[in-house]
Amino acid sequence: MPENRSGVASNAAEPGRLKVLVADDNPTDRMILARLVSRLGHSVVSAENGLDALVKFSFEKPDLVLLDALMPVMDGFEAARRIKLQSGENLIPIIFLTSLTETGALVKCLEAGGDDFLTKPYNPVILQAKIQAFNRMQEMHQTLQDQRDLISKQHERLLHEQELAKIIYDRVAHAGSLDAANLRYVQTAFAMFNGDILLAAYRPSGGMHILLGDFTGHGLSAAIGAMPLAEIFYSMTARGFLLRDILQEANSKLSRILPVDIFCCAVLIEINPDKGLVAIWNGGLPEVLLLGRSGELQHRVPSTHLPLGVAQADRFDPTPVVLPMASGERLLCLTDGVIESRDQAGNQFGESRVVELIASYEARPHDVFDGLLQALEAFHGSPEDDISLLEVVMQPLQAPPATLPQEDARHLDGQDWQLAYTFRSASIREHNPLPFLLKVLMEVPGLRAHAGRLFTILSELYSNALEHGLLKLDSSLKLDSQGFNRYYDERNERLRQLNGGWIRVLLDHRPDPNGGVLHIEVADSGDGFVEQARGVVRDRYAGRGLELVRALSDDLSFNPDGNQVRVEFAWRLGHTAG
Amino acid sequence: MPDLPNDIDSAVQDALRELMQDDYALLIDTFSRDSQKRLAQLHLSLQAQDWEDFRQTAHSFKGSCGNMGATALQQACEEAELAGIAADAEAAQASYSKIQHCFERVVPLLGL
């Protein structure tokens, strides 16, 4: 509060007018000095001894003290010590009045807290000079204190705001399903507040989406982009959007809202244990490493994309690398903080050290994660403080708890309906209709517990109709991992060029006393693909889709042309999620 | 006695008259009362051979004498202070007598 500066100079009615305490047991000297001081324009408080001076100091809060050294009751030395104690941080100069000349006595004055001396007989000019000098010193001292207090107050507020932001950031950046059994991660507090973000969420159709990101910059500003990114990631994953949809949306949102120099290096992963597949999109982070069952390095997925928030929407490429990934295989993902960790000599840890370390843990894949942490600590000389490290193990995922509220199946009559949508080529090229269809199904409370199964069924049927019916892709391509990438490249190319054709989805729901029956029928304008899917091609990767659908539904049938698939799905009242 | 200090430095007195204005008489009165108290105190401590008290009293007296321009008296007080420090009974007695003597000479000069 600058208008109420503590103590100093505030007593004076006018600037430069001080309140001066004159303490001298000698009445003649006291009288003369008091008059000298008041003649200089200051107000005077007089005291007859040290104790009197101390009491008057407390009550009158003078700006300056003129103190005789030798006084009865309490001498000037003791009074000076106590006055200094009382003044605390404020600078209240004490000038000793003395005719003492021996050095020892003068030293004693200084030790007691004296700031200067005034010798008897008094010289008005010297007195004036001293008072002015100390007044200036006081003003500087006060300015310094005010500035310091202001700085410390602002610093306090900054810390408080950072703490709040950190709590919110913590909740946003660490929400979701990071505690899933297939994930292990280390993310230091420092790294997190420097804009590292780690998100994981179960997909409604099974499998998981995982995001490891590293925003440019440091501190709060780096963390700000995490909020919209997490929001997009969680809401779109929950509504059944594909990795590429999420990437598109995240990129366009971040490039819209973030300033040019802030963007997010990120790895997005879709892991699908049912199909034994992993899709990895790497934009600007170090290589993602795929380790085999015995810890051998099988694949390195380097960054092949621009970070999120850099490219314009029409130039952004959300195509991930798709790899087969068998149970027990694992992914290692790291941020630059790991690679750029430095030893005492300033050398970087580097990607080659990571690869060497993995080689040294061959046959012990379970220990790689800890081994890497230890190696970093040994290299750096102390626990690293700016790293995010993630390990994803391919294993069956625990069914996530139903996230949509399950309601009593009341008003069943209102759930007796049929609807059909026909998606034509322009719409098929641009949009993924599955989240929309799932949302329609979720209007039936009894179906909500089955969101995951229904989504899987819908997405399998739709992608069959699209990829095999309309795009006429041969799933035998997917026999090996190179084939996978060829397959998906080809898929994207043909999708881009799709002109004509349609996919029709018919949903039919009839309630019955025990629950209801849902029919899903997906037809396309293609020549039929079912025979092919049923026939020869039955191996590790391809043709699994329909098997999966058959397992998840109550009945699966095809029309003779093989371009229309019909699924029956019955649900029972009181049936719980699973 | 050209080398002896002045009993009263008239320049100092002029300055004090100017400084104190209407309170000048009060100042002289205050100095007079205080001086008599100091003299009595010096006498007591001399008798009790309390040299620390003797020294302190002389020291304090010396200060006001200086401010009043009572130069000879100031010098006598200083001799008393030194005698007190040295705990020299003879010198103390001598300085005390000198202080008495000097004070008597100052009294009429200040119109006391």
Side-chain angles (χ1 to χ4, degrees), chain A residues 57 82-92 141 145:
Chain A
F57 180 84
R82 298 200 186 188
I83 283 173
K84 281 291 173 185
L85 216 62
Q86 270 196 34
S87 341
E89 294 192 322
N90 294 326
L91 176 68
I92 312 293
H141 181 80
Q145 271 189 337

Side-chain angles (χ1 to χ4, degrees), chain A residues 95-311:
Chain A
I95 300 176
F96 270 101
L97 310 170
T98 177
S99 46
L100 298 174
T101 41
E102 334 126 52
T103 313
L106 297 179
V107 167
K108 218 175 146 194
C109 292
L110 293 181
E111 282 172 353
D115 297 291
D116 201 354
F117 305 100
L118 188 66
T119 51
K120 296 177 189 180
Y122 301 129
N123 179 322
V125 179
I126 293 178
L127 178 66
Q128 186 179 13
K130 286 186 194 292
I131 290 178
Q132 278 174 0
F134 278 110
N135 189 25
R136 278 195 293 271
M137 198 194 281
Q138 263 176 336
E139 280 168 2
M140 282 192 293
H141 181 80
Q142 191 60 40
T143 306
L144 212 63
Q145 271 189 337
D146 291 347
Q147 296 288 330
R148 182 206 57 187
D149 292 348
L150 195 67
I151 289 169
S152 90
K153 201 180 272 177
Q154 277 170 346
H155 183 67
E156 210 170 280
R157 197 168 59 209
L158 189 72
L159 282 184
H160 179 68
E161 280 174 4
Q162 280 187 347
E163 256 164 47
L164 275 183
K166 193 170 175 304
I167 289 169
I168 296 168
Y169 185 72
D170 216 356
R171 287 180 187 160
V172 170
H174 275 153
S177 312
L178 279 177
D179 52 355
N182 62 323
L183 301 180
R184 255 193 94 181
Y185 65 95
V186 163
Q187 192 166 40
T188 57
F190 188 72
M192 200 188 75
F193 211 51
N194 271 341
D196 281 15
I197 180 171
L198 182 54
L199 309 170
Y202 291 103
R203 304 171 65 226
S205 58
M208 217 179 192
H209 282 159
I210 302 155
L211 184 155
L212 177 65
D214 181 0
F215 279 91
T216 46
H218 296 278
L220 256 188
S221 60
I224 274 174
M227 314 280 171
L229 182 55
E231 189 60 36
I232 290 166
F233 178 86
Y234 287 125
S235 69
M236 290 184 76
T237 299
R239 285 185 285 145
F241 281 95
L242 299 174
L243 199 64
R244 55 173 51 242
D245 300 323
I246 297 172
L247 279 161
Q248 287 276 21
E249 177 62 20
N251 179 68
S252 78
K253 179 121 194 183
L254 291 185
S255 58
R256 239 180 8 252
I257 64 174
L258 294 182
V260 191
D261 54 342
I262 297 186
F263 46 85
C264 184
C265 297
V267 163
L268 267 83
I269 297 168
E270 177 194 322
I271 185 158
N272 194 330
D274 293 335
K275 293 188 181 176
L277 289 177
V278 65
I280 300 168
W281 183 95
N282 188 348
L285 278 189
E287 290 179 337
V288 176
L289 306 168
L290 174 58
L291 274 54
R293 233 182 279 238
S294 50
E296 76 284 6
L297 186 55
Q298 284 188 335
H299 286 282
R300 301 163 73 156
V301 183
S303 163
T304 51
H305 301 280
L306 288 171
L308 294 174
V310 176

Side-chain angles (χ1 to χ4, degrees), chain A residues 212 267 269 287-288 331-335 388-392:
Chain A
L212 177 65
V267 163
I269 297 168
E287 290 179 337
V288 176
L331 293 173
L332 273 181
C333 309
L334 8 129
T335 51
S388 292
L389 189 60
L390 168 72
E391 181 188 62
V392 184

Side-chain angles (χ1 to χ4, degrees), chain A residues 336-343 346-350 376-377 379-380 384 387:
Chain A
D336 286 335
V338 174
I339 302 299
E340 290 167 5
S341 170
R342 286 175 190 277
D343 66 8
N347 302 308
Q348 290 198 353
F349 193 75
L376 277 168
E377 185 169 340
F379 184 77
H380 184 69
E384 259 298 356
I387 59 167

Side-chain angles (χ1 to χ4, degrees), chain A residues 488-546:
Chain A
Y488 283 103
D489 287 347
E490 192 63 34
R491 175 195 185 277
N492 294 339
E493 189 50 36
R494 290 191 194 181
L495 183 58
R496 220 180 343 265
Q497 292 173 2
L498 181 68
N499 197 6
W502 47 261
I503 297 173
R504 194 182 65 235
V505 178
L506 181 136
L507 302 174
D508 184 298
H509 183 260
R510 291 168 195 274
D512 66 28
N514 304 316
V517 177
L518 173 73
H519 282 102
I520 303 172
E521 195 180 286
V522 178
D524 64 78
S525 60
D527 302 334
F529 59 89
V530 175
E531 279 310 307
Q532 179 201 359
R534 259 164 148 186
V536 232
V537 201
R538 282 260 188 269
D539 48 64
R540 282 174 62 208
Y541 307 126
R544 277 192 170 185
L546 287 178

Side-chain angles (χ1 to χ4, degrees), chain A residues 272-578:
Chain A
N272 194 330
D274 293 335
K275 293 188 181 176
L277 289 177
V278 65
I280 300 168
W281 183 95
N282 188 348
L285 278 189
E287 290 179 337
V288 176
L289 306 168
L290 174 58
L291 274 54
R293 233 182 279 238
S294 50
E296 76 284 6
L297 186 55
Q298 284 188 335
H299 286 282
R300 301 163 73 156
V301 183
S303 163
T304 51
H305 301 280
L306 288 171
L308 294 174
V310 176
Q312 296 287 313
D314 53 338
R315 304 191 59 181
F316 180 76
D317 179 9
T319 312
V321 174
V322 180
L323 294 169
M325 189 172 170
S327 181
E329 296 183 341
R330 62 192 67 222
L331 293 173
L332 273 181
C333 309
L334 8 129
T335 51
D336 286 335
V338 174
I339 302 299
E340 290 167 5
S341 170
R342 286 175 190 277
D343 66 8
Q344 304 293 338
N347 302 308
Q348 290 198 353
F349 193 75
E351 278 181 290
S352 59
R353 275 199 180 77
V354 176
V355 172
E356 281 166 29
L357 184 119
I358 287 169
S360 74
Y361 276 87
E362 186 135 6
R364 291 190 291 147
H366 298 284
D367 300 328
V368 166
F369 189 85
D370 290 320
L372 188 51
L373 282 180
Q374 281 159 18
L376 277 168
E377 185 169 340
F379 184 77
H380 184 69
S382 61
E384 259 298 356
D385 59 355
D386 192 11
I387 59 167
S388 292
L389 189 60
L390 168 72
E391 181 188 62
V392 184
V393 180
M394 184 59 105
Q395 63 190 48
L397 297 177
Q398 306 238 320
T403 45
L404 294 164
Q406 200 185 349
E407 290 169 22
D408 289 340
R410 283 167 293 177
H411 315 300
L412 288 176
D413 294 345
Q415 296 163 14
D416 188 4
W417 48 258
Q418 182 187 77
L419 58 81
Y421 274 94
T422 302
F423 303 100
R424 286 189 285 271
S425 59
S427 161
I428 293 168
R429 276 201 311 270
E430 299 298 327
H431 297 292
N432 168 17
L434 293 172
F436 167 71
L437 294 172
L438 185 67
K439 192 160 175 280
V440 170
L441 290 180
M442 291 304 102
E443 295 298 316
V444 179
L447 288 178
R448 287 181 190 164
H450 309 287
R453 292 166 73 181
L454 290 171
F455 191 80
T456 306
I457 293 170
L458 269 174
S459 62
E460 286 303 329
L461 297 186
Y462 183 81
S463 62
N464 277 335
L466 174 64
E467 293 174 9
H468 304 311
L470 288 189
L471 304 180
K472 300 182 173 43
L473 285 158
D474 183 356
S475 48
S476 67
L477 264 179
K478 296 198 269 188
L479 277 177
D480 57 45
S481 59
Q482 274 139 22
F484 261 110
N485 285 327
R486 274 220 318 282
Y487 181 88
Y488 283 103
D489 287 347
E490 192 63 34
R491 175 195 185 277
N492 294 339
E493 189 50 36
R494 290 191 194 181
L495 183 58
R496 220 180 343 265
Q497 292 173 2
L498 181 68
N499 197 6
W502 47 261
I503 297 173
R504 194 182 65 235
V505 178
L506 181 136
L507 302 174
D508 184 298
H509 183 260
R510 291 168 195 274
D512 66 28
N514 304 316
V517 177
L518 173 73
H519 282 102
I520 303 172
E521 195 180 286
V522 178
D524 64 78
S525 60
D527 302 334
F529 59 89
V530 175
E531 279 310 307
Q532 179 201 359
R534 259 164 148 186
V536 232
V537 201
R538 282 260 188 269
D539 48 64
R540 282 174 62 208
Y541 307 126
R544 277 192 170 185
L546 287 178
E547 279 178 31
L548 188 61
V549 171
R550 198 190 298 279
L552 292 177
S553 61
D554 294 298
D555 187 48
L556 172 71
S557 59
F558 313 95
N559 70 345
D561 289 343
N563 61 0
Q564 181 183 312
V565 185
R566 185 178 166 86
V567 163
E568 184 178 305
F569 183 92
W571 61 275
R572 296 283 156 260
L573 277 170
H575 190 89
T576 45

